[in-house]
Amino acid sequence: MKTIKWTLMFIMAMPFLSSTMVQAASVQTMQSCQGLIDFLHVKLKASTDRYSSGDIKAVSQGLNVYNTFIQRDVVTPGLLKYSKGDKAQAQSLQDQVDAFRASIVKNYSVRFPENKLYMDFVVALNNCTKDAAPRGDELETLKASMMKMVELIKAS
């Protein structure tokens, strides 16, 4: 219960995060976050008997927004910087990132075989936002998604 309270407190504080946090986020860290998001999508698709389609849609929407933000603001620019602007090399690096993300999904699937959400997922997602969090409407959509996840977990 304490974890839920602290998570909710951080989710509410997310709008006050500095925009410099995006610059501090590494591609390596954020590809792990994208792997978590990919895994959560797999879990949600497999949990239609447990959660309503509206709840799944609400959670998925925030995850999609956050994934797009991570790719657009952290991963793509980071790979281009690392490759010194060489787009072919950046694409090759993106392929490696995608393969790593797939391995993260497999690892989570072994650890959490049940088709339901756990507080561990919200905490891990919350930890990702400590490194890079969107702003404005994107942030609000992500917050709503995380709050919906907490609500679904509490109801289980």
Side-chain angles (χ1 to χ4, degrees):
M1 193 59 148
K2 280 186 177 181
T3 305
I4 292 173
K5 276 187 177 177
W6 283 108
T7 301
L8 292 175
M9 286 175 51
F10 183 77
I11 291 169
M12 297 311 224
M14 285 170 55
F16 304 107
L17 294 173
S18 160
S19 64
T20 59
M21 290 185 71
V22 171
Q23 295 162 356
S26 72
V27 171
Q28 184 178 21
T29 299
M30 298 317 291
Q31 71 183 348
S32 295
C33 296
Q34 286 184 306
L36 170 64
I37 292 168
D38 293 347
F39 170 74
L40 289 171
H41 280 299
V42 168
K43 280 295 148 192
L44 290 169
K45 284 182 184 177
S47 300
T48 55
D49 60 332
R50 182 178 295 269
Y51 308 119
S52 75
S53 61
D55 289 341
I56 290 172
K57 183 179 178 181
V59 172
S60 294
Q61 184 178 9
L63 295 175
N64 289 336
V65 164
Y66 192 41
N67 191 45
T68 299
F69 164 78
I70 291 169
Q71 187 65 44
R72 179 191 69 222
D73 291 7
V74 179
V75 175
T76 298
L79 296 178
L80 281 170
K81 182 178 179 182
Y82 182 78
S83 67
K84 297 181 173 88
D86 182 332
K87 291 183 180 184
Q89 185 181 9
Q91 183 56 55
S92 177
L93 293 169
Q94 181 65 57
D95 293 342
Q96 292 175 30
V97 166
D98 294 341
F100 181 71
R101 285 170 56 180
S103 73
I104 290 171
V105 172
K106 286 180 186 176
N107 289 338
Y108 271 118
S109 296
V110 169
R111 186 170 172 207
F112 299 99
E114 300 84 14
N115 292 326
K116 67 180 205 171
L117 298 174
Y118 290 94
M119 197 63 197
D120 290 3
F121 305 154
V122 180
V123 170
L125 195 58
N126 187 47
N127 287 337
C128 290
T129 66
K130 292 176 184 177
D131 291 316
R135 295 182 155 279
D137 290 341
E138 290 179 328
L139 177 62
E140 293 306 314
T141 302
L142 175 59
K143 281 176 33 179
S145 175
M146 293 173 72
M147 295 296 289
K148 178 57 75 176
M149 288 175 67
V150 170
E151 177 185 315
L152 296 173
I153 293 163
K154 286 172 63 175
S156 296

